[in-house]
Each structure stands twice: as structure tokens, then as C-alpha cells.
Amino acid sequence: MEEGVSRELARERARLVTNLRYAVHLNLEKGASRLQGRETVTFTLSEAPAELALDFRDLDAKGLATAGEAGNLKVNGAATGLVHSNGHILLAGSHLHRGENRVELDFSSGVAEANRAITRYVDTQDQSEYLYSLFVPMDASLAFPCFDQPDLKARFTLTVTAPADWQVVANTEIVWRLHRGQQRMFKFAETKPISTYLFAFAAGPFVKLSAAPGAAPLALYVRKSQAARAQEEWAGVAETTRRGMGKMVAFFAQPFPFSKYDQVLLPGFPYGGMEHAGATFLNEDAVLFRNAPTVNDYSRRTELVLHELAHQWFGDFVTMRWFDDLWLKEGFAQYMAFHTRAELEEPGPVWKRFYESIKPLAYRIDATRGTTPIYQEIANLKDAKSAYGAIVYQKAPSLLRLLSFNIGEDSFREGVRLFLKEHAWANAEWSDLIGAFSRASRRDLTPWADAWVKRRGMPVVEAKWECDDAGRIASFGLSQRDALDEGRVWPVRTQILLGYRDGRTEPMTASFDSARASLAEAIGKSCPAWVFGNNEDHSYGLFLLDETSRQAIVEQLPRIADSFRRTLLWGALWDSLRESRMAPLDYIRLGLKLLPAENDAELGISILGHVRAAWSDYLSAEQRAAMAEELEDFLIERMQQSESLDARTASYRGLVGSGATGRARSVLKDLLAARMEIPGVPLRQRDRWNIVASLQAQGDSDAADLLEAEARRDNSADGRKYAWVAGAGVARAENKQKYFEQFLGGSVPEDWVTAGMPYFNYWTQPDLTLPFLKPALEALPKLKRERKIFFVLNWLDGFLGGQNSPAALGAADDFLQSGEIDGDLRLKVLEARDELARTVKIRERYAK
């Protein structure tokens, strides 16, 4: 048998197997490196195959400890020996028959703090132990034998034996508990049909917080040591969940699909959240802030809660047939998070935030040769991790917003309802969704979808106009080119905005599907001072400013009252910088000039983030030295004197991340010692550790003593993590070597490594870390096999993203030419390599 789950195997099993049920019993013990289990699998076969494969990737002498014993494996009541191959248990056709079949077996699977499907976390504050599962995309078969593919939905009945002081949370409600001395047994109600990656449990001495139900009972589970902090935040999270659930039920015209909705906070969880049916798991830090939060942090939390909630319909109730349609769940959940928030709040600021937080990541990857279509061919589920990234999470929701703009909100809503109704509790493909939208809008959307879903890349759109002597537009042309220069054109529908020096604006809608087009509606209108090609951000693509517009916008930005429009124009200026049409120093100076008067907190944070990125990525060391005092003075003054709490917090973070002089370090040490305070911004746990880590990376003479003192002050499990993270920045070759070996060793939890990589590759240390680039690239196949989704992208962003030199670019190109990686990894490297090439190009032109 082939390793993983090939498409051919999946299709054959989907043809044969129906009426699938799992009865799983797990025995959980404190401190055990393996859990023991017993399961019964029942299913109907349309015909008896020559053999049938169950997936179980923990198959070795320990994985099935009693494999050779009689009675361990039974097929339809008959004991049989275990035959396994490449992570599969092979059931002989002689034991199977058409109709109902029953397989029973014992199993054992690994539990560890890192790199397992069942993760253990020990809270050093009270020595409590917590276990949780994480099976996406195909890691259920690392935990128990199953048909591990999304289109073989099954009903699960879970029974768990656990220590008496533990709670157990799963997809359904508990139907009975039984005490047996120092143990308790929990039995959960049978689930609705769900995919294996959505089956889940968490266990430990959780504290449960309940809330008034909306469309389903709501509860939050949190570890004991964090219960008080969770109590402070739960009311807001519960209200967002309850109100969001009500809006989604109405929009989808479908009741909440499950009997209850739990949210479980887990420390070190490798993603923001995971949408297990009826029991979403959330990263604890995403809900219980460990640093002083800004408006952006609260927005991210709201969007995370709504994103995972939307998955209960898009992903759980209706599931993609195969992971090449991952966007059916992730893209929709992302879009619906913002769509629902726009129903709960004033819509304009919500869609402004959609532009700020979603679009730039999509545009960034779509401008690289590592980009992919939204629909990605995946031959084997072992490669499904490669489908995750900005194309699914950022581009797909952007195109759903464009689709709604194209067909209208009513048709969009009707299409969603048709899709959910026709595929309830089943699986679907992207063509099913486009078919539903086509019927709802009474338009054939297949050509539009083929262009946007099946092609990679994006258009770069520019406007060119001329005015006559009377001050009227004489000609107005639009052009589009392929960002990758591969000759593609897209169907573009957008809103063009004409801007005038007296503050007037005039919008016009434009639609074209050719390389060049004329906009007749513009002819005869007053000659504008500037033109912007994507007003209100309905369209998708890179809409570049011409030189005249850019200069006029720079002059007029302070007088543009509309916050959304101001945000879009600031974004267009950032695009000008990244396209080498605007000098990084000019952008930085403009930001420092206009930020004090910026009254939109989220926009202010965005501008400051771009100023910091331009500072660290695109300036030479000499340029930074020349204006370091100016930047740091700005941040220190704003941190202490701004009327905006968000501006004070963002400026403090900016100083931690960008300050490099002795004065900046002195201010940071004063904050740490409470000799200086930020009005209204008390330093939280993560704030203090971020200061320590920054001082370590900057080589401050007091850094080692401060690290030791902070470690004594904070001896919690999180404190141990942050102390280790801070050490990654120490600028000594032997220290980098030690950390690099730990990064790859597999014994350090993934969230520790992910948090440590930015300090290992600190922005002031590219020469020191350059020797690690080659081995970091060579480790990619191992990391792809062993680590969770997103890890490879984080790894490349750390090691390639932490470089800025032609030498680093050459190392990346040499690695690509060696041909030592598969196609999926090649695309990931190209994505990071092209971003490095952009950095090198900008620095070569402007870093003088």
C-alpha cells in the first residue's frame, strides 16, 4: 500500500463503504506516553473487495502491542492476524462480505508534548496535566485505526476512562458518567455524520464556564490556573458567539447543526482555532491576552470566534470532498466571519478591516511564483498540509466578496442556502457551490470561476488618462497585466474613483476582461487630481497608482475625512513602495508626519506596522543609524503622550521591536523596572518577556541578568517558554547552533519553535544567521513530514524572511536548482524566495 491516503484509494473506499460508525474507547492516564484503546468499526460494503485498508500510522511493535495475540483483531467475529503496510491495516477480502461488516481491535497510540496527534501539556503552576487531540488534515490515523478521508463521514460514539479529577470534552454531550475509585468513565452521545479530522476530545482538570444559550448551549473550558482570567473575558466571547450564531442561523436558513457548542482554550495550540464539530479548540493566547491588547487584538479575537463558528456549517455540516477544495470551508469561514461582524456592527469599519487584515497577505503571495490556484490538485492526503496558506485564507474570501459584488447580496445569500440544503451532512466540491450561485443569480458563473478559482496569480491594474485644454477628460484607459507575466487576463469588475483637489470624489463602475479597455463613462468629466482603481475594495488585484495620483494623494491624505478611503489610499502607497515606485524613507517620513493626527486606531496601527517593516527590511544600516533617534523619539513621545490608548500601546510595541540604540534600550529597561510607565498600559506577562527578548537580541550588557531575574519572577509554564524564546536572540554563533539543533530535534514544542524563530533570525542579525539558511532549507522535507500545518511556512518566513542580501538570494536559488524537494515544497520556497528578491531589489535601488 502507498503511504498516506491516495486519491485512488479514497475514491475506491468511498465507492465501497457506507453507513460508517466508530465506537471508540480510550483509556487516558496521567503521565503515560501512550494511550490504550479499543474500537469497533461497522460499515456497509456495496461489494466484497479483495482487501480493504484501514489507516493506522502508529503501527509498530508499540503501536499495536498485542498484535499477535488471539482476539486482538476480529473481522465479522473471526479472529485474524494483523497485516499492515505503510500505515495501513489490510483486511482480507475473505473475511468481508457485501452488506454489514464489523471490525474490532485494540490499539495503542503515542502521546507527547510535541509532534503527535495527541498532545500533552503540563501546567507547572499547579502541575495539572491536559491532553487534547488534533487530527487535521489526516492525523486521526495517528491516533486510532480509521478510514481517514473527509468524504467517508461517520457517526462516532466515544467512551473515555480518565482520572477522577479530570473533565472530558468531546463533540457531543455526556450521556452518563461512572465513578470507579480513582477513575471516571464518560460516555458521549453518538455524533452526527462527521469527517475523521473533526472528531476530537480534550481532557484534564478544566474549569467550565457556561453562558446563556443562543441557538445551542454555550460553554467555555479553561485550565484551572487561568480560570480567573478567563472569567473576565468570557462574557464578551460568549456574547459574540451567541449573537453571531443567531445571525448565521438566519443567513444560512439552517439551524445550528449540533446539540451544543463548546469552546476549549488550550495553551500552545498550534493554530488560532480548530473547528471540531460541537467543540471548537482555541489557542489560549488568542483569547486571554498576555500582552497589553490593542483594538486590533480584540478584532482578531472576534474574527477568530466567528470564523470557527461559521465552520460548524461550512466544513462540519457540509464538508469538502477532498482537501483540494479546502477553500470551501476556510475561505467561506473567513468571509462569513467578516460578513457576520458587519451585521453585528457598523459595516464600513468591518470591511475596512477586511481590507487591512485579509487582502495584503493574498496579494503578497499572488505576486510570487510560489502562488497556486485556489483549487489545488492534491494526489495524496499526506501532501494536504501544502494547501494551507494565504491563497485559501485570504484570497478565497476576497473573491467571495467580489462574487457578492458581482451577483448582488440577495443572489449570494440564496446560493449559500441552496448549497447548504443540497449537501446537508454530506460532501461537496467547488463546482457544486458555483452551480448553486449560478442558479441563484440566473447567470452562468463557470467562466468567472474558472478564471479566479482554477488559475493562479492576479491582475495588476492601472489607469491612464488625458485631459483637454478645457479641463475635461479626453481619454481614459484601463489596462491589466499578469503579476507573474504568464499572459493571463481576468474578468475584472471594480469601482474607479476620481479625486479632486477640492475634496470632491466621483465613483464609476468598470468591467472588462481584456488586457486593455476604455471607460467611456469617464469622457467629458472634470479632470481629476488623482485616480484610484478599487474604491470600496470590492475587486481583487493590485491596483497601482500612477505618478501624478501618488503625488496628489500624498498631499491630500491629511484632508481625506473618510477612514475607509484613507485606509485604501495608504495601502496603495505601500504597494507603490513594494513595487519600487516610492522610496522607503519617503514612506517612513510620511508616516511619522501624519500619524500624530490619525484618529482611526486600526489605520494608525497599520501605518506604524508598515513604517516598522520599511525600517527593518528595506533600509540600510547607515540609513537606520541616520534617523534612529528621530524614530525612537517619535515612538517614546507617542507612547507616553498620545491621547489614544491604542496609539500608546502600538508605539510601545514599536519601540520594543524597532528600537536599537542605547537610549531605546534604556527606556525599555526603565519600563521593565517600573521606573517609567505607559499611561493606561500596564505591562502584562508577554510584554515583559518581549522586552527581555529584545534586549537579548540587541546584545544589551544587562540582558543576561534581566533574563535571569525575569525567570525567577515568572516560573510558570509560559514563563519557561518565553525564557527559552528570549535565548534564541543571543547573537553568538554557538548559541545559534544550539537553538538550530533544538528547532530540528523534535523535543521542543512547535509553538516554542515558532515563537523563537523571529528572535533567532532577528532583523539586526542577518549576517550571523546566514550560515543556517542552507541547512534550514535542507530540513524542509523532514519538517513537512513531521510538523503541523503552517509550520513550514513559518519556518521559511523566519529563515528566508530574516535575510535581505544577494548572498541569501543566491543560496535560495542554489537550493531550488538542486532539485532536492518535491513540487509542494518548491512552491513554498519560491514564495519566500520571491519576497526576498523583492527586498533585495528595493534595497539595491533605495538603500544608499
Side-chain angles (χ1 to χ4, degrees):
M1 291 292 297
E2 183 180 349
E3 182 185 355
V5 178
S6 68
R7 187 187 290 269
E8 291 73 19
L9 173 62
R11 284 174 174 165
E12 177 65 7
R13 293 195 303 202
R15 183 183 70 83
L16 292 171
V17 177
T18 55
N19 300 323
L20 180 58
R21 279 181 161 83
Y22 298 93
V24 180
H25 180 89
L26 304 176
N27 185 28
L28 308 181
E29 298 179 3
K30 293 181 180 179
S33 61
R34 301 190 71 80
L35 64 79
Q36 307 298 322
R38 174 78 181 170
E39 75 171 336
T40 300
V41 188
T42 61
F43 50 90
T44 300
L45 287 174
S46 59
E47 62 185 65
E51 66 179 11
L52 185 64
L54 271 176
D55 310 320
F56 191 43
R57 292 158 55 208
D58 206 345
L59 266 172
D60 53 29
K62 295 179 180 178
L64 239 65
T66 57
E69 296 180 10
N72 175 57
L73 174 62
K74 292 182 179 180
V75 181
N76 290 322
T80 180
L82 178 71
V83 179
H84 60 89
S85 174
N86 272 341
H88 304 279
I89 298 172
L90 305 182
L91 306 177
S94 58
H95 294 289
L96 301 167
H97 50 252
R98 182 180 179 186
E100 293 295 319
N101 290 264
R102 180 184 183 92
V103 176
E104 303 163 86
L105 71 161
D106 298 321
F107 62 91
S108 167
S109 55
V111 178
E113 294 182 6
N115 302 329
R116 300 298 305 186
I118 311 296
T119 298
R120 172 189 293 110
Y121 178 87
V122 178
D123 189 338
T124 57
Q125 287 178 252
D126 58 11
Q127 301 306 310
S128 295
E129 181 178 342
Y130 300 86
L131 301 180
Y132 65 86
S133 63
L134 183 59
F135 297 153
V136 65
M138 57 162 290
D139 283 353
S141 55
L142 273 175
F144 64 97
C146 58
F147 299 110
D148 204 2
Q149 59 190 75
D151 59 343
L152 276 180
K153 285 190 164 184
R155 296 177 185 269
F156 291 82
T157 301
L158 175 65
T159 308
V160 177
T161 300
D165 61 337
W166 282 14
Q167 296 252 32
V168 181
V169 188
N171 302 100
T172 53
E173 65 278 5
I174 297 170
V175 294
W176 57 256
R177 295 179 179 87
L178 179 64
H179 287 262
R180 289 181 175 174
Q182 299 301 308
Q183 292 185 318
R184 274 202 296 181
M185 184 179 290
F186 301 81
K187 183 171 183 179
F188 294 86
E190 185 180 66
T191 69
K192 296 286 190 179
I194 59 174
S195 300
T196 48
Y197 77 88
L198 296 169
F199 173 61
F201 71 89
F206 287 105
V207 173
K208 179 182 179 181
L209 306 177
S210 298
L218 303 179
L220 183 80
Y221 288 83
V222 62
R223 55 181 167 134
K224 286 191 301 182
S225 65
Q226 302 301 312
R229 293 178 61 225
Q231 188 71 60
E232 297 174 0
E233 303 290 349
W234 172 228
V237 172
E239 180 69 3
T240 296
T241 307
R242 185 186 63 79
R243 294 181 64 212
M245 191 178 290
K247 293 294 184 183
M248 290 182 192
V249 165
F251 187 83
F252 297 145
Q254 284 284 348
F256 184 75
F258 304 103
S259 57
K260 52 91 178 175
Y261 189 58
D262 297 329
Q263 294 171 88
V264 185
L265 303 188
L266 296 169
F269 195 67
Y271 323 136
M274 178 60 207
E275 70 275 10
H276 305 117
T280 282
F281 293 177
L282 296 170
N283 184 296
E284 189 179 87
D285 288 355
V287 177
L288 309 181
F289 304 123
R290 299 200 194 289
N291 53 5
T294 66
V295 62
N296 277 9
D297 296 308
Y298 286 108
S299 288
R300 277 192 290 269
R301 185 172 72 182
T302 295
E303 290 145 16
L304 171 64
V305 168
L306 294 175
H307 174 108
E308 304 304 337
L309 177 61
H311 270 310
Q312 302 297 305
W313 287 269
F314 274 90
D316 301 3
F317 180 59
V318 179
T319 309
M320 75 269 161
R321 188 173 305 284
W322 195 246
F323 272 86
D324 46 19
D325 272 323
L326 180 65
W327 73 281
L328 280 185
K329 73 182 189 79
E330 296 300 346
F332 245 102
Q334 194 80 302
Y335 178 73
M336 286 309 305
F338 285 89
H339 189 284
T340 303
R341 190 177 179 190
E343 292 191 60
L344 297 173
E345 306 171 17
E346 184 182 348
V350 173
W351 292 118
K352 176 183 74 71
R353 172 154 175 83
F354 182 88
Y355 166 77
E356 288 175 308
S357 63
I358 297 295
K359 289 294 192 65
L361 290 171
Y363 294 156
R364 176 173 169 170
I365 184 175
D366 250 353
T368 75
R369 290 177 296 141
T371 192
T372 66
I374 290 177
Y375 175 85
Q376 299 181 47
E377 291 280 355
I378 296 174
N380 191 306
L381 288 186
K382 66 183 176 63
D383 297 321
K385 294 177 186 178
S386 64
Y388 288 80
I391 293 300
V392 162
Y393 284 87
Q394 276 77 34
K395 182 175 182 177
S398 300
L399 293 183
L400 289 169
R401 176 160 162 77
L402 173 58
L403 178 61
S404 178
F405 178 58
N406 283 349
I407 66 175
E409 177 71 4
D410 291 344
S411 293
F412 185 88
R413 181 176 59 247
E414 182 59 28
V416 170
R417 291 176 174 180
L418 277 173
F419 177 76
L420 290 172
K421 180 178 180 180
E422 292 174 353
H423 301 282
W425 301 114
N427 299 84
E429 300 175 350
W430 75 278
S431 57
D432 299 314
L433 179 65
I434 296 304
F437 282 130
S438 293
R439 281 179 283 146
S441 63
R442 295 175 175 79
R443 294 168 51 185
D444 181 8
L445 296 172
T446 303
W448 181 90
D450 283 345
W452 285 111
V453 177
K454 296 178 73 174
R455 295 181 193 166
R456 72 177 196 157
M458 65 177 175
V460 178
V461 180
E462 299 186 69
K464 184 178 181 180
W465 77 98
E466 294 181 355
C467 297
D468 58 23
D469 293 339
R472 300 287 177 180
I473 297 175
S475 65
F476 197 104
L478 294 169
S479 66
Q480 64 162 302
R481 60 177 173 83
D482 186 346
L484 303 178
D485 293 324
E486 293 177 344
R488 300 180 180 91
V489 294
W490 285 264
V492 175
R493 185 168 189 262
T494 189
Q495 193 176 87
I496 306 293
L497 189 68
L498 307 181
Y500 297 91
R501 295 196 180 279
D502 61 4
R504 290 182 301 115
T505 57
E506 186 169 356
M508 303 175 294
T509 298
S511 298
F512 63 106
D513 57 6
S514 56
R516 299 186 180 280
S518 297
L519 186 59
E521 182 184 349
I523 306 303
K525 293 184 182 295
S526 297
C527 191
W530 53 269
V531 172
F532 177 60
N534 190 17
N535 187 46
E536 296 186 353
D537 189 43
H538 290 291
S539 196
Y540 183 85
L542 196 59
F543 292 82
L544 294 180
L545 299 174
D546 62 272
E547 180 67 17
T548 298
S549 294
R550 182 170 62 79
Q551 291 180 2
I553 287 169
V554 166
E555 294 172 3
Q556 292 198 0
L557 263 177
R559 298 188 295 279
I560 295 176
D562 184 84
S563 178
F564 193 177
R565 183 165 298 155
R566 209 162 57 248
T567 298
L568 291 170
L569 296 178
W570 268 110
L573 293 176
W574 180 247
D575 290 337
S576 294
L577 185 159
R578 285 176 49 80
E579 292 297 310
S580 296
R581 298 184 178 190
M582 183 178 187
L585 274 174
D586 290 344
Y587 186 96
I588 291 170
R589 291 190 177 107
L590 183 67
L592 298 184
K593 176 183 176 182
L594 299 186
L595 267 171
E598 180 52 62
N599 59 15
D600 182 312
E602 288 185 319
L603 176 55
I605 292 170
S606 173
I607 296 167
L608 183 57
H610 285 154
V611 166
R612 289 177 54 196
W615 170 266
S616 61
D617 294 351
Y618 302 137
L619 297 189
S620 66
E622 292 77 15
Q623 287 174 320
R624 287 198 296 263
M627 71 172 305
E629 185 175 336
E630 179 183 352
L631 174 65
E632 292 172 359
D633 285 348
F634 173 85
L635 293 172
I636 292 167
E637 180 181 358
R638 196 164 179 256
M639 177 181 79
Q640 295 179 301
Q641 298 183 15
S642 174
E643 295 181 0
S644 164
L645 178 63
D646 290 297
R648 295 196 296 275
T649 304
S651 298
Y652 149 73
R653 291 184 183 180
L655 186 67
V656 173
S658 302
T661 69
R663 177 162 185 257
R665 297 197 304 272
S666 177
V667 169
L668 293 179
K669 287 187 283 188
D670 285 345
L671 288 171
L672 199 62
R675 294 188 293 266
M676 178 187 290
E677 294 183 351
I678 309 168
V681 186
L683 298 187
R684 299 191 182 186
Q685 179 191 34
R686 188 67 184 273
D687 294 307
R688 296 184 60 83
W689 279 112
N690 285 345
I691 291 175
V692 171
S694 176
L695 293 172
Q696 287 279 354
Q698 297 288 357
D700 188 86
S701 59
D702 296 323
D705 291 339
L706 291 171
L707 174 60
E708 183 179 346
E710 194 64 23
R712 288 196 303 268
R713 181 181 180 277
D714 180 7
N715 61 1
S716 67
D718 294 313
R720 289 193 300 114
K721 168 186 172 179
Y722 298 140
W724 183 88
V725 165
V730 174
R732 294 195 303 268
E734 63 273 18
N735 183 69
K736 298 298 183 183
Q737 182 63 43
K738 179 187 75 171
Y739 268 84
F740 188 77
E741 291 171 0
Q742 292 180 348
F743 285 175
L744 291 177
S747 61
V748 178
E750 277 190 17
D751 64 303
W752 288 36
V753 177
T754 301
M757 280 192 292
Y759 291 104
F760 183 96
N761 297 286
Y762 204 66
W763 61 275
T764 58
Q765 303 174 12
D767 293 338
L768 181 62
T769 56
L770 180 59
F772 295 93
L773 179 55
K774 184 174 184 289
L777 293 171
E778 291 171 344
L780 288 171
K782 170 184 169 68
L783 297 174
K784 177 183 174 181
R785 285 193 308 272
E786 298 177 357
R787 303 302 177 98
K788 298 285 194 298
I789 56 178
F790 303 122
F791 186 86
V792 165
L793 288 173
N794 290 331
W795 183 265
L796 286 168
D797 283 345
F799 283 92
L800 271 174
Q803 296 297 319
N804 56 32
S805 68
L809 184 61
D813 289 339
D814 289 345
F815 177 74
L816 286 166
Q817 291 169 12
S818 70
E820 295 176 357
I821 53 171
D822 62 32
D824 293 328
L825 286 175
R826 176 172 292 276
L827 288 173
K828 301 303 181 193
V829 176
L830 280 170
E831 176 186 336
R833 179 263 177 214
D834 285 7
E835 188 63 25
L836 173 58
R838 181 186 297 273
T839 298
V840 170
K841 178 181 178 181
I842 293 172
R843 287 171 61 86
E844 285 179 345
R845 179 167 183 180
Y846 294 112
K848 300 175 183 177

